[in-house]
Structure formats: C-alpha cells, structure tokens
Amino acid sequence: DKGGHKHFMAKEIAEQPHVIAEAIRHYLPVEEDAVRLPGGGVDFSGVERLTMVACGTAYYACVTAKYWFEQIARLPVEVDIASEFRYREPPIPGKTLALFVSQSGETADTLAALRYCQEKADKILSVVNVSESSIARESDLALPIFAGPEIGVASTKAFTCQLTVLLALALKAACDRGHLSAEGMAEYATAIRGLPNVLSSALEQNDAIRLAAQKVSEARDVLFLGRGLMFPLALEGALKLKEISYIHAEAYASGELKHGPIALIDKNMPVVVLTPKDALFDKSVSNMQEVLARKGKVLMISDQNGIDEAGDDVWCAIRMPRVKEALTPILYAIPAQLLAYHTAVAKGTDVDQPRNLAKSVTVE
Ligand code: F6R
C-alpha cells in the first residue's frame, strides 16, 4: 500500500518524521535525558577503537557516524566497506568494538565481515531494521532502527533512522567516556526530539525541489560537494541520484575540488552544494565560488542565513530549517532524497525497482 503516493519511495520519504519519532522514543525516552539501549546495552568507557562496516547507503551512515564518534565521543573510528574489509584480513586490536549496519540484516558481505570479527572483537554490535535477520542474530547486541518495512529499493527512511540510532550511540559513548556533561546531553536530547518537526518542514520544500529536479534531469553528470558532516551526505546524495535516475553522479569532499574534479566544471554541470551555515560554511562557500567562476550550475542547499550570505549567484537555492550542527546530516538527507526522486520521476525511470538492483544483496 503506497498510502496515496505514486511510489513506495515517495511514501517512505514522507514517513520519515514519523519513523524517526519512533526511534527517538526508544533511544531517548522523554522521562530521562540519557540514551537508553536495549538488552544489556554497552559501556564505551573501556573501548579503544570502533570499527564500523557496511555496504552502500548503510556504509554512508557509518561514515557520517565516524564524525560523531570522533568529535563528540573522542573515540578512534575505522569505517570500511564490507566487501573490502572481509578479504583484507585487518588486524582487530583488543578493546575493539565492531559495529555492523544493515537495513535488511542479510547483506552477504556485511554478514561475512561480522563473522570475521567474531572471536576477535570485544563485542559485536549491529544496527538493523529487520530484527530477526542473520546479522541481528549473530551479534552480541542488535539495535533496531524502527523504520518499518522499506519496500523501495533505494534506501531512504532506513538511512535517517540508522543515523538517528548511530547519533544516540555516539552520545552514549561520549557520556560513558566523560566527554559530554549531563547538561550537554540534555541539550542534544532536546534538539533530537525536535527532529520530527524539523523534518516535516524540510518536506515542505518538495515543490521547490521538484522544480530544481526538472533542470537536473537534463544533465548527463552531476557533482555533489560537502565538507565535514556534509561530505558523507554528498556521497549518499550521489548514490541515490545515480541508482534511480541513471544520471552519473559523483561526490567529493569540497576541499578535494581543486585536486582534480574542478576540471569537469562547465556550464552544463550541475553541482549540488550541501552547506548549512556551520563552522565550515566559509570554506565550503569559497569552493562553491570556484564552481561559479567556471560557470558551473550551483544548486545550493543551505539555511536562510547561508542563502542570504552566499546564495546570490546560484542557479537555484533550497532552504532548510536551522538545526544544531550535529543533526544536519539527518535533515539534509531529505532534500538529497527528494532531488533524486523527482529527477527520476522527470526522467520516467522505474523509481521503486531500478534496473539491475535488488533490495537485499544476499550473494556477494
Ligand atoms: C542504496 C541501497 C543499498 C543498500 C546496501 C546495503 O539505496 O539501498 O546501497 O544500502 O545494499 O543494504 P543493507 O542495508 O540491507 O545491508
């Protein structure tokens, strides 16, 4: 049942305020300003290293979480793609916590990577949507994301729910390790509890994004740029666009622009710049200016302050609400998903069942 939407993907994008609220209710119950984990939970105080492994969109959720665990919890993090990790035979030092992220819980490479870590890592955690899955069963502690069934092949609500759970976990780690005061934690809890409303107002940009997508649908290639927490989201935005619209899309950390990809910029190249007015805004804008100077078509996704300050010469600007900086990837996922969706619809591709792709990749 598509609930009145044209595609499952549209329905699942629209459901995000609701499913995220569900995840928040479980991990940050209102009666306490602390993270609550299922089962025996996990204590990060003695953990020396976190290894996160996944594929595709789940991998980009891990890359995002690396920034959180490092910055908020001061925990060293390694992130890897499951198909590389499993055959590299990486050493797993003592006091390592291994974390596997998978919507289906059945991805063959991720499961194999998990099995490689059994007996080597101190503890195996998973973040899954399907609680009865192999990955959930074979880990010491499975953290459900409460996204509900995801039918569209392109992952949307599972991604933002994964991010929400991973952020909660990073906050737990920060508290356990003494890097976050009760006051700081309460501030995060309040901001996170405001996310469902913030995501709803992001969804109101649907029409503006649909108009932008009309133009993007004519492109052959699209570049996504972001810095800091917006870099992994740029990767996810590019993946989403290519998998359902079949337009070639690539993402770069903005600072890498002048190390190669700037050679691609011309008047035919749409460049999606993800840049909330955060600590890295000025750096990101100076990269955006380099694109504009070469007549690149900039689609700027920012907040009102950011657009007022730097949005004058852009091709098109999409306005997001303002949130606490750590929460921006969860919010900016919405325009990235809507842009891919509307571009695919404009091109007339099969949005829910893109060619050559399967929802669950149970063979390597
Ligand atoms: C992209 C997408 C895939 C999956 C990947 C991992 O939209 O859905 O990249 O994220 O195949 O799948 P799970 O999360 O089931 O392990």
Side-chain angles (χ1 to χ4, degrees), residues 204-267:
E204 285 166 15
Q205 295 304 306
N206 188 52
D207 290 345
I209 298 171
R210 180 151 30 89
L211 285 178
Q214 300 297 330
K215 305 196 218 175
V216 171
S217 71
E218 287 158 23
R220 196 190 60 182
D221 313 277
V222 177
L223 206 57
F224 284 73
L225 298 178
R227 270 181 188 261
L229 284 163
M230 287 296 110
F231 169 47
L233 191 66
L235 293 165
E236 168 62 5
L239 174 64
K240 218 88 298 176
L241 185 67
K242 71 188 125 190
E243 73 175 325
I244 60 170
S245 76
Y246 315 145
I247 293 174
H248 168 235
E250 268 192 277
Y252 275 92
S254 309
E256 278 289 292
L257 192 62
K258 57 169 73 66
H259 299 285
I262 198 164
L264 294 169
I265 308 289
D266 64 13
K267 63 180 183 6

Side-chain angles (χ1 to χ4, degrees), residues 101-298:
V101 180
S102 175
Q103 187 283 128
S104 64
E106 300 296 345
T107 300
D109 281 322
T110 309
L111 182 58
L114 181 154
R115 288 181 177 152
Y116 173 82
C117 287
Q118 275 166 344
E119 258 106 78
K120 296 187 189 75
D122 256 9
K123 202 169 175 127
I124 308 239
L125 255 59
S126 59
V127 170
V128 291
N129 197 28
V130 182
S131 296
E132 312 77 47
S133 59
S134 308
I135 288 173
R137 271 198 317 272
E138 296 192 28
S139 41
D140 299 317
L141 179 66
L143 305 172
I145 62 171
F146 301 103
E150 192 180 62
I151 311 291
V153 163
S155 188
T156 52
K157 61 176 180 169
F159 177 66
T160 46
C161 285
Q162 283 160 354
L163 289 179
T164 304
V165 172
L166 289 167
L167 176 57
L169 204 58
L171 294 173
K172 169 79 167 75
C175 293
D176 289 353
R177 298 164 62 77
H179 292 290
L180 189 59
S181 63
E183 205 177 50
M185 179 63 224
E187 222 174 85
Y188 274 108
T190 305
I192 293 171
R193 290 192 191 111
L195 266 177
N197 278 335
V198 171
L199 296 194
S200 296
S201 51
L203 287 166
E204 285 166 15
Q205 295 304 306
N206 188 52
D207 290 345
I209 298 171
R210 180 151 30 89
L211 285 178
Q214 300 297 330
K215 305 196 218 175
V216 171
S217 71
E218 287 158 23
R220 196 190 60 182
D221 313 277
V222 177
L223 206 57
F224 284 73
L225 298 178
R227 270 181 188 261
L229 284 163
M230 287 296 110
F231 169 47
L233 191 66
L235 293 165
E236 168 62 5
L239 174 64
K240 218 88 298 176
L241 185 67
K242 71 188 125 190
E243 73 175 325
I244 60 170
S245 76
Y246 315 145
I247 293 174
H248 168 235
E250 268 192 277
Y252 275 92
S254 309
E256 278 289 292
L257 192 62
K258 57 169 73 66
H259 299 285
I262 198 164
L264 294 169
I265 308 289
D266 64 13
K267 63 180 183 6
N268 300 315
M269 181 68 126
V271 181
V272 180
V273 180
L274 297 152
T275 180
K277 185 120 185 19
D278 58 13
L280 297 173
F281 181 76
D282 293 345
K283 302 264 173 215
S284 175
V285 163
S286 97
N287 300 126
M288 188 173 93
Q289 249 115 39
E290 290 160 359
V291 173
L292 289 168
R294 286 156 188 88
K295 308 261 182 312
K297 292 180 164 145
V298 171

